[in-house]
Amino acid sequence: MTDRNLRLAIQKSGRLSEKCRELLSRAGMSFDFRTDRLITRAKEQPLELMLVRDDDIPGFVKNQVSQVGIVGLNVLEEKLGRTSECEVDIVRRLGFGYCRLALALPKSIPFEGLHTYNGKRIATSYPNMLQRFLKDNDLQATIVEITGSVEVAPLSGIADAICDLVSTGATLESNGLRETTTLLESEAVLIRPRGQLSQSQEEMIARLLARIDGVQKAKNARYIMMNAPKDAIYRISQLIPGMEKPTVMPLMYDEGKVAIHAVAKEEVFWETIEKLKEAGASSILVLPIEKIIE
Ligand code: PRT
Ligand code: ZN
């Protein structure tokens, strides 16, 4: 690897890998994922992809084994400490992989405030974050570090409570646990080392970010087209969510109507479409947008 190449680390297989691959492909970077190799090269770009366990990504980016990485904020803060203090920068929040690190108790134990955790044994795969939380809140508890199936720890008797990732809450529910306290709200983030990289690597990161921004902006945006009576143009343009300036065009053979085209920067819900109809719009088309470059 030369300093003219950029290496991006993503999770090889797991909850973030599919979304990472999708994001890269929408950003125009294609890789051969059939390979079992640790590193795969982008087609026609000086970009290498490292396919690794998510736990290794913060360290790889910190030590510049890779210059960019996508990882859950939870893993980043567990491995390198609080983001304000660690040696990598979060350059984008990516809007997927949402979850939270939370404390939970068996439903049989009443929760009477954080002090309920005093003297308890808490099972977790996030010992560093839990340790910091206990210290910050002046709590004395024993951390029982386990790597998988944390939620069964109270049932099996090795702990009294847990500190684990929660998404829908279904796993806690099915194990008779009640979530009491959030330690961290997490999502997938794009990280890079804090220090300066080579000029070509900096340029490649800037290009990567611009492409990711283009994809992210387009995600909820829709191109909306409709016909409308001339006297309803103002009312209709007020109804289109997150819209800037609409294009208004005359319709052939219909003096009283115009065609309105606009980019809605937010999702267009059925309620909006119903209101547009009530305001006189007809032939409404809502189309997805692939990229927005401003
Ligand atoms: O093999 P590798 O080390 O790379 O993967 P991993 O097994 O450590 O991680 P993986 O693939 O399970 O998760 C990767 C990342 O996805 C996590 O670090 C989080 O940032 C994010 N993420 C988002 C989640 C969840 N949602 C999630 N629900 N990670 C784990 N869970 C688990 C949680 O641990 C619990 O067991 O799902 C269960 C709870 O889900 P609910 O929906 O029942 O609440
Ligand atoms: Zn992991």
Side-chain angles (χ1 to χ4, degrees):
M1 153 126 192
T2 71
D3 68 1
R4 301 185 62 76
N5 283 4
L6 189 76
R7 202 178 265 166
L8 165 66
I10 66 167
Q11 191 185 26
K12 182 176 171 61
S13 68
R15 284 170 201 263
L16 301 183
S17 45
E18 192 60 42
K19 291 272 188 194
C20 287
R21 291 171 189 208
E22 194 184 305
L23 175 65
L24 294 175
S25 127
R26 292 188 68 195
M29 286 163 265
S30 45
F31 296 89
D32 182 3
F33 287 112
R34 289 166 306 174
T35 161
D36 243 2
R37 298 219 306 258
L38 172 70
I39 295 175
T40 167
R41 279 197 69 118
K43 294 173 185 146
E44 296 155 10
Q45 286 176 61
L47 180 69
E48 292 177 351
L49 199 64
M50 272 188 102
L51 300 162
V52 291
R53 287 200 59 192
D54 64 350
D55 312 70
D56 294 331
I57 295 173
F60 281 162
V61 174
K62 179 182 143 190
N63 297 319
Q64 296 193 28
V65 176
S66 59
Q67 296 75 32
V68 244
I70 297 178
V71 70
L73 181 59
N74 51 305
V75 175
L76 178 65
E77 292 219 349
E78 176 63 18
K79 299 292 172 193
L80 299 187
R82 288 196 180 92
T83 44
S84 52
E85 292 155 20
C86 75
E87 294 160 64
V88 305
D89 279 333
I90 295 176
V91 280
R92 289 294 181 277
R93 291 184 165 255
L94 295 173
F96 60 86
Y98 285 111
C99 58
R100 54 197 181 273
L101 184 67
L103 281 164
L105 277 174
K107 286 183 179 162
S108 55
I109 304 179
F111 177 65
E112 290 158 350
L114 273 183
H115 64 85
T116 313
Y117 289 99
N118 261 328
K120 298 276 190 296
R121 294 165 303 158
I122 309 174
T124 191
S125 315
Y126 292 85
N128 298 326
M129 286 170 79
L130 178 55
Q131 178 77 62
R132 284 201 294 273
F133 179 82
L134 295 174
K135 189 163 172 268
D136 289 349
N137 290 282
D138 244 342
L139 297 168
Q140 316 296 324
T142 306
I143 298 175
V144 180
E145 186 177 344
I146 46 180
T147 46
S149 303
V150 172
E151 53 283 333
V152 300
L155 280 175
S156 63
I158 60 167
D160 308 302
I162 69 161
C163 174
D164 197 14
L165 296 179
V166 185
S167 166
T168 61
T171 308
L172 292 184
E173 184 62 37
S174 63
N175 286 285
L177 297 163
R178 182 192 335 108
E179 185 179 346
T180 66
T181 317
T182 301
L183 278 66
L184 176 84
E185 295 280 357
S186 182
E187 70 185 280
V189 291
L190 188 80
I191 56 173
R192 59 157 291 162
R194 194 151 282 176
Q196 183 81 14
L197 300 168
S198 76
Q199 193 189 340
S200 64
Q201 287 171 336
E202 290 292 349
E203 283 167 11
M204 275 188 278
I205 291 181
R207 202 172 322 135
L208 176 68
L209 292 181
R211 287 187 179 200
I212 288 177
D213 291 345
V215 172
Q216 300 289 81
K217 277 187 196 138
K219 211 154 91 186
N220 290 327
R222 297 287 179 272
Y223 195 74
I224 182 161
M225 304 190 273
M226 72 204 83
N227 294 341
K230 270 184 179 162
D231 58 10
I233 298 174
Y234 180 73
R235 162 113 190 85
I236 282 178
S237 47
Q238 299 267 303
L239 288 170
I240 302 174
M243 192 214 48
E244 281 165 11
K245 295 182 193 89
T247 306
V248 178
M249 290 164 285
L251 277 181
M252 237 171 144
Y253 311 124
D254 196 339
E255 292 280 297
K257 279 192 174 175
V258 288
I260 301 179
H261 289 199
V263 172
K265 294 256 174 87
E266 296 150 33
E267 211 165 326
V268 181
F269 293 106
W270 278 108
E271 290 73 11
T272 308
I273 294 174
E274 284 154 10
K275 282 188 193 145
L276 289 169
K277 283 200 80 170
E278 280 164 26
S282 58
S283 306
I284 305 171
L285 292 184
V286 181
L287 310 174
I289 295 175
E290 212 176 271
K291 303 175 184 74
I292 297 184
I293 315 299
E294 297 190 294

